[in-house]
Amino acid sequence: NYIKEYTKRDIRMIQIARKRFADFLASEKKYNMFATSILADRIDKKMILAFVDYLRTRSTGSGAQSIFQRFKKVMAAAVEADLVRKNPCLGVTIPVDETALVKDVLSTDEVLKLIDTHYEFESKELRRASIFALYTGIRYCDLVELTYKDVDYPNKMLHFEQSKTKHSSPHSHVDIPLNDFTLGLIGDAPEGNLKQHIFTLPSHESCNKSLKRWCKRAGISKHITWHCGRHSFATNILESGASVKTVADLLGHSGLKYTERYVRAVDERKKQAVNSLPVPKAE
């Protein structure tokens, strides 16, 4: 019922949280009798702590934290509806190093390798959109909402408001300079209908599956999801000499806290590059 009445953009994460909890119950011998049905007041703190441990085995980085945050929203609603006397999630957290970048990123060479790779029955629309994301760092949720009205063709600029911080932050508006390549991916504006969406894509899950297939065809063995395009964009322009402040502005970050993780990622790649040099044997 909570999902049915939920109207916010993160509904997919709410659905994932519900499925993960069901998977957890089914996988635990102690709780598998609740795999198909459980009363809200049977969920206690001991069960929640076990669920948190399960989430950590299923997701990396902030993934487990994000899922648990959504699960807590549902439990808070259960308390509000008097289905639970005491919220079992109180005091339970999943700490994560928010300054660490845990997702794989594509290097500039790998981006070009991906662009050069074609395969039978590939989606031209997904190809166009994903390349655009790799060159602009735009999230999937913002990409699918872009219209030709957001494009300032004469000044080669893209102006849009981030869905994630819309109506909640003064930094929700983002301006991204466009070059001839990215303008070419957008194409000419249709006459008389600037509100038309630039990209028409299937679901986020479907896009991730197609991207995984594309990377495999390109010989890229990294675990690449759609959101990795944003991380790749930030890391690559930092390596090219952009300042942290510039990257933060292009990503629409209100501060430098989250942008700093890309600096750490670049430093790590430099260290790996140096360590990859052959070392002569001791005489």
Side-chain angles (χ1 to χ4, degrees):
N1 287 339
Y2 184 87
I3 290 173
K4 197 180 294 182
E5 296 173 5
Y6 200 79
T7 57
K8 294 183 180 178
R9 288 182 177 273
D10 64 341
I11 186 169
R12 188 179 65 88
M13 290 301 296
I14 299 285
Q15 293 167 333
I16 289 174
R18 181 187 184 279
K19 186 176 187 310
R20 287 289 164 86
F21 187 62
D23 291 345
F24 155 71
L25 293 173
S27 68
E28 295 287 325
K29 187 177 180 181
K30 185 177 179 180
Y31 301 124
N32 59 17
M33 76 284 288
F34 301 123
T36 57
S37 177
I38 184 171
L39 294 173
D41 62 2
R42 296 298 298 270
I43 303 174
D44 57 20
K45 181 157 285 191
K46 195 172 182 180
M47 184 184 289
I48 293 299
L49 289 171
F51 177 46
V52 163
D53 288 340
Y54 174 81
L55 285 176
R56 283 173 167 159
T57 66
R58 289 286 304 269
S59 303
T60 57
S62 60
Q65 182 194 57
S66 183
I67 291 170
F68 188 54
Q69 283 175 341
R70 269 59 177 213
F71 183 82
K72 288 197 290 187
K73 288 175 71 172
V74 180
M75 289 308 302
V79 174
E80 188 70 24
D82 291 327
L83 297 173
V84 181
R85 288 187 294 276
K86 185 179 179 182
N87 192 334
C89 295
L90 289 177
V92 182
T93 60
I94 299 183
V96 64
D97 183 359
E98 294 180 334
T99 64
L101 183 62
V102 295
K103 289 184 179 291
D104 282 338
V105 298
L106 294 170
S107 66
T108 51
D109 287 342
E110 286 170 330
V111 169
L112 293 175
K113 190 177 182 181
L114 198 63
I115 293 172
D116 287 339
T117 301
H118 291 271
Y119 60 94
E120 193 177 9
F121 305 123
E122 69 177 9
S123 168
K124 291 182 179 180
E125 186 70 355
L126 180 132
R127 176 185 173 83
R128 183 171 71 99
S130 58
I131 293 172
F132 188 80
L134 282 165
Y135 278 81
T136 57
I138 298 179
R139 298 182 184 91
Y140 171 87
C141 59
D142 293 322
L143 193 74
V144 294
E145 291 297 324
L146 288 180
T147 67
Y148 290 96
K149 192 177 180 181
D150 299 320
V151 184
D152 180 353
Y153 284 90
N155 295 308
K156 293 186 176 182
M157 290 289 291
L158 181 68
H159 312 281
F160 68 96
E161 189 172 7
Q162 299 179 98
S163 299
K164 191 174 182 179
T165 54
K166 203 172 189 177
H167 307 310
S168 63
S169 170
H171 303 280
S172 62
H173 288 278
V174 180
D175 298 325
I176 298 178
L178 301 170
N179 54 29
D180 291 338
F181 178 67
T182 47
L183 273 172
L185 291 169
I186 292 173
D188 296 330
E191 290 186 18
N193 186 16
L194 293 180
K195 291 185 178 181
Q196 181 179 318
H197 286 116
I198 297 171
F199 302 102
T200 304
L201 294 171
S203 68
H204 186 270
E205 183 180 1
S206 180
C207 284
N208 274 335
K209 286 180 180 178
S210 296
L211 187 57
K212 184 179 179 181
R213 187 161 55 246
W214 187 9
C215 286
K216 187 177 180 181
R217 296 289 202 290
I220 298 170
S221 57
K222 293 177 178 178
H223 179 65
I224 298 298
T225 64
W226 193 278
H227 202 66
C228 291
R230 182 172 174 84
H231 298 318
S232 301
F233 167 76
T235 305
N236 289 332
I237 61 174
L238 266 175
E239 281 192 328
S240 297
S243 69
V244 180
K245 178 65 169 62
T246 297
V247 176
D249 289 343
L250 289 171
L251 295 179
H253 289 168
S254 57
L256 301 182
K257 175 184 174 183
Y258 294 108
T259 321
E260 287 289 345
R261 56 184 169 176
Y262 300 114
V263 177
R264 289 175 61 179
V266 169
D267 289 343
E268 183 60 32
R269 279 163 66 155
K270 288 178 181 176
K271 189 189 299 181
Q272 290 173 0
V274 170
N275 291 336
S276 69
L277 294 172
V279 179
K281 294 180 179 179
E283 294 182 1

